[in-house]
Amino acid sequence: MIKFSHIMKKYGENTPIKDINGEIKTGEVISIIGPSGTGKSTLLRMINGLEKPTSGKVFVDDIEVNDKNISEITRKVGMVFQNYNLFNHLTVIENLMIAQVEILKRDKQTAYDKSIKLLKEVRLLDKENSYPNELSGGERQRIAFARTLAMDPEVLLLDEPTAALDPKLVDEIKGLILKYARTGKTVLLVAHSMQLARDVSTRVFFLNEGIIYEEGTPNQIFDNPQKEKTQSFINSQNAIEFKIDKTFNFTNDSIALAEFCLKHNAYLKLVNKALLIFEEIIEQILFTKYESPDIKVRVDYKNEFITMNIKYKGERFNIKDSNNDISIKLVEGLATNIDYSYNENDEYGNKVEIKIN
Ligand code: ADP
Ligand code: MG
């Protein structure tokens, strides 16, 4: 069990955390989400004593996190850092063994066997004797994960565990988190991927204005948030919007679109389709059709589907009636579904909704 009791944290004039309260039961998987700078990492680091609250208390299994209890806390709480913190002068197996031997006083054979078992689990057995700088980012990430699990922590803290990973590895980390949680352990993760938070959490904390602004099950927070600021944060995470006219910079917007899709761990193939469709419809079809194009695009990503909503001003025009046969064929080939509608009461009366998966 983890308990936050009136946590406040000041850095000089800055008070990112004002009053955080709450209890996390053993076996829960909590995702912490919120805008950057709201104290998500700081809150996580307070649980293992790396950061001290200015006032208030944190408890892990009724033990207060403070200097006196720090060795007990360190044994209970394991953390995977955002930058992995591996020892670069030690091999992978040595990285996994060292704390088991020195802190838990396991004998070398036990520590070795445990390490090998975990290397198998993260599918990096062949890297046993490599050094961290010989590994890719994704591999280092999984080694850091294995090293933390080797200590059999009661509580696992993860700070943006999938930030640098491609979708396949995200699934793998997701699997590891769920597997660990199934053994009845507690997990807290700062999630930048809403999909990850949705898939693994029992509860989600939305941090904002120095407090747990709203909390609930993933369904409550992602599909039915109650407070306005939660709603706008969730919406901003799920969608990206473009306003496009003659001054439009195709490269910048394509990059923004690609980044948005990748942030949600969309598959590269899907990102590629989205970019191609975007380019064909905007540049090839609408920019040739209208002399002064005025277009609004909203793209969301949910459950492995990208939905592109394109609205534009001007005379009624279904993109399917475009003279540009090649472009329209390409779009039809790539999209899963294309829906056109016209609303004469809307300034942006033409509307195309495209689903891609
Ligand atoms: P988040 O993880 O939500 O992005 P952080 O917990 O990293 O936020 O930081 C919260 C705020 O506290 C930020 O404004 C950050 O600049 C500030 N902060 C974090 N750590 C320190 C520190 N060691 N010294 C001064 N300010 C800090
Ligand atoms: Mg952070």
Side-chain angles (χ1 to χ4, degrees):
M1 187 200 70
I2 294 166
K3 195 172 159 195
F4 300 116
S5 171
H6 295 292
I7 301 297
M8 191 270 275
K9 179 70 182 177
K10 255 184 199 295
Y11 291 109
E13 292 295 292
N14 182 10
T15 312
I17 296 180
K18 295 194 172 70
D19 187 13
I20 287 199
N21 293 290
E23 264 188 45
I24 296 161
K25 292 196 195 73
T26 302
E28 280 197 278
V29 179
I30 304 285
S31 286
I32 303 171
I33 61 169
S36 149
T38 44
K40 302 181 296 295
S41 296
T42 304
L43 188 65
L44 219 56
R45 292 156 62 87
M46 283 179 187
I47 301 169
N48 67 353
L50 278 178
E51 203 74 70
K52 284 181 195 155
T54 308
S55 65
K57 286 175 178 172
V58 183
F59 298 89
V60 176
D61 291 342
D62 292 325
I63 302 164
E64 189 185 338
V65 181
N66 59 25
D67 289 343
K68 190 164 64 77
N69 299 327
I70 195 69
S71 63
E72 209 171 341
I73 294 295
T74 313
R75 263 173 224 207
K76 280 182 180 288
V77 182
M79 179 156 178
V80 182
F81 295 90
Q82 220 172 338
N83 55 2
Y84 320 139
N85 284 5
L86 294 170
F87 300 117
N88 284 319
H89 64 291
L90 299 180
T91 61
V92 163
I93 192 81
E94 287 164 348
N95 262 284
L96 263 69
M97 287 173 66
I98 187 165
Q100 295 186 63
V101 173
E102 309 228 324
I103 296 175
L104 300 183
K105 310 290 177 207
R106 284 185 184 150
D107 67 72
K108 282 204 168 152
Q109 189 61 45
T110 309
Y112 180 80
D113 292 346
K114 176 97 187 170
S115 305
I116 291 295
K117 184 170 163 268
L118 282 158
L119 283 180
K120 271 188 200 149
E121 259 178 53
V122 297
R123 295 190 307 106
L124 289 173
L125 196 54
D126 56 330
K127 303 291 183 197
E128 177 184 347
N129 296 311
S130 302
Y131 285 89
N133 60 15
E134 297 166 344
L135 305 175
S136 72
E139 288 167 346
R140 281 201 285 269
Q141 164 81 303
R142 284 180 287 156
I143 295 298
F145 206 95
R147 184 181 61 171
T148 302
L149 291 188
M151 302 296 284
D152 290 320
E154 297 292 314
V155 177
L156 179 63
L157 309 177
L158 303 162
D159 199 349
E160 304 203 345
T162 58
L165 299 183
D166 73 44
K168 262 195 209 133
L169 293 179
V170 171
D171 285 345
E172 208 167 295
I173 292 288
K174 200 184 281 180
L176 289 172
I177 295 172
L178 288 172
K179 188 171 171 198
Y180 176 80
R182 257 184 250 119
T183 63
K185 306 290 173 63
T186 311
V187 183
L188 270 91
L189 74 132
V190 173
H192 91 141
S193 155
M194 299 299 118
Q195 189 65 44
L196 177 73
R198 192 190 269 278
D199 291 347
V200 303
S201 321
T202 53
R203 266 198 301 162
V204 179
F205 290 177
F206 172 59
L207 251 62
N208 194 32
E209 297 182 350
I211 58 173
I212 298 175
Y213 191 83
E214 188 165 346
E215 58 119 331
T217 62
N219 280 343
Q220 284 169 333
I221 295 296
F222 294 117
D223 301 328
N224 195 18
Q226 297 299 301
K227 293 186 168 178
E228 207 181 302
K229 284 186 180 160
T230 318
Q231 283 161 9
S232 66
F233 176 78
I234 299 295
N235 284 337
S236 74
Q237 296 300 300
N238 287 337
I240 183 167
E241 291 179 343
F242 303 98
K243 177 125 173 47
I244 296 168
D245 59 23
K246 270 198 164 151
T247 64
F248 158 73
N249 179 329
F250 185 74
T251 309
N252 284 353
D253 287 28
S254 298
I255 291 172
L257 176 59
E259 279 176 352
F260 168 80
C261 296
L262 291 171
K263 189 179 102 178
H264 286 77
N265 300 316
Y267 284 88
L268 275 180
K269 215 169 129 192
L270 182 58
V271 180
N272 251 332
K273 281 190 194 175
L275 286 171
L276 277 169
I277 290 174
F278 187 66
E279 178 177 354
E280 292 303 324
I281 294 185
I282 305 298
E283 277 210 312
Q284 304 303 332
I285 300 178
L286 295 178
F287 268 55
T288 1
K289 167 73 185 172
Y290 296 102
E291 210 161 293
S292 320
D294 192 341
I295 308 165
K296 284 184 187 170
V297 181
R298 181 189 153 100
V299 182
D300 19 328
Y301 178 78
K302 205 171 175 181
N303 303 330
E304 293 174 14
F305 266 91
I306 290 177
T307 307
M308 218 177 263
N309 262 292
I310 305 173
K311 290 171 87 176
Y312 41 99
K313 280 190 189 172
E315 64 166 301
R316 182 174 187 147
F317 167 63
N318 186 342
I319 57 163
K320 286 188 180 171
D321 301 329
S322 165
N323 300 327
N324 194 335
D325 289 345
I326 297 177
S327 290
I328 194 65
K329 279 224 171 68
L330 193 63
V331 171
E332 283 177 335
L334 292 166
T336 310
N337 191 47
I338 306 174
D339 253 332
Y340 171 81
S341 59
Y342 184 75
N343 176 357
E344 60 184 0
N345 298 320
D346 190 337
E347 206 189 346
Y348 293 80
N350 294 285
K351 185 177 163 194
V352 183
E353 191 192 81
I354 297 172
K355 287 205 178 297
I356 314 161
N357 82 331

